[in-house]
Amino acid sequence: MKHLVVATRNPGKIVEINALLTGLVEQISSAADFVDFPETVEDGVTFEENALKKAREASQFSGLPALADDSGLVVDALNGRPGVFSARYAGEGVGDTANNLRLLEELRNIPEDRRRGAFVCVLAFVTPEGVERLFSGSIAGRILSAARGEGGFGYDPLFLVDGFDRSMAELGLADKNRVSHRAQAFAKFREYLETIV
Ligand code: IMP
């Protein structure tokens, strides 16, 4: 594919997505490369709705094929929260540190064996010609009681990945991009692109 717009301003996601699209797309633009790129109101109740809305607006605005990632952390003991509210769990624009503190606080009295959760990613691909496709991925793990590791972004330091004795923030970009929820969704997107070019 020649030119794709990635509808995100999240610097942590951009780093991962650029690596995940290597060799697949000649030119990648993101929201930051445009003046007045639309700020999509993420008012959907599912990752699918929000991802589609972001990709539709980005494609319409740019006139290019657009890819949007909506993702978050789903915690069993919190009935799926923070879910679609992951980026603003502790309030609009407060950032990762405050969100992580809120998560720790909500799980304060929950024992280790009931701190199960998963990262979920839904990718929406929309073209000006009207193509709309969704791809999803998830990775299971356990919410730690204290942060571990310096890498990644968001809730990574609090997420112990199943099958690894490391938090997502201790995996490093290369390993995270092999196993993560985002990596799994991108693997499906990659397969799809190979069938249409
Ligand atoms: P979105 O930009 O509306 O999709 O919100 C995504 C939010 O979910 C981020 O701000 C993080 O809080 C969380 N999240 C999504 N993916 C990851 C990840 O790979 N690691 C850690 N947190 C993530």
Side-chain angles (χ1 to χ4, degrees):
M1 169 168 297
K2 271 197 145 29
H3 193 178
L4 179 73
V5 179
V6 177
T8 182
R9 291 178 197 280
N10 181 324
K13 279 189 188 176
I14 292 172
V15 169
E16 291 182 14
I17 290 172
N18 279 336
L20 288 163
L21 287 174
T22 303
L24 206 61
V25 176
E26 284 173 36
Q27 186 183 351
I28 303 168
S29 300
S30 78
D33 299 319
F34 295 85
V35 176
D36 294 334
F37 196 84
E39 193 72 60
T40 301
V41 179
E42 294 184 34
D43 52 4
V45 295
T46 62
F47 295 113
E48 284 79 2
E49 280 176 67
N50 284 336
L52 256 185
K53 192 174 179 196
K54 284 191 263 190
R56 281 178 185 147
E57 288 186 10
S59 179
Q60 201 164 20
F61 171 80
S62 63
L64 292 164
L67 189 69
D69 156 309
D70 200 55
S71 48
L73 180 66
V74 172
V75 179
D76 298 354
L78 300 175
N79 297 319
R81 278 182 288 124
V84 291
F85 299 105
S86 293
R88 50 199 147 119
Y89 192 34
E92 204 68 57
V94 296
D96 292 341
T97 307
N99 287 333
N100 286 0
L101 282 175
R102 166 134 195 227
L103 181 64
L104 286 177
E105 182 55 27
E106 299 246 2
L107 293 175
R108 192 159 40 102
N109 297 318
I110 308 288
E112 227 177 62
D113 61 336
R114 292 208 296 116
R115 297 171 73 103
R116 304 285 312 155
F119 276 124
V120 175
C121 170
V122 174
L123 285 180
F125 175 66
V126 170
T127 73
E129 293 75 33
V131 171
E132 294 194 339
R133 290 282 187 285
L134 292 169
F135 310 90
S136 63
S138 74
I139 183 164
R142 173 164 72 74
I143 314 305
L144 292 161
S145 306
R148 275 173 56 175
E150 304 293 328
F153 68 97
Y155 300 96
D156 281 346
L158 293 180
F159 190 85
L160 189 74
V161 186
D162 276 3
F164 290 79
D165 186 25
R166 284 183 283 172
S167 77
M168 198 74 120
E170 291 173 321
L171 283 190
L173 181 64
D175 278 346
K176 182 175 176 186
N177 269 354
R178 259 194 290 278
V179 300
S180 78
H181 49 317
R182 192 162 295 103
Q184 294 177 40
F186 268 85
K188 293 177 189 168
F189 175 58
R190 189 177 274 271
E191 260 174 44
Y192 164 74
L193 274 194
E194 279 161 7
T195 66
I196 62 166
V197 288

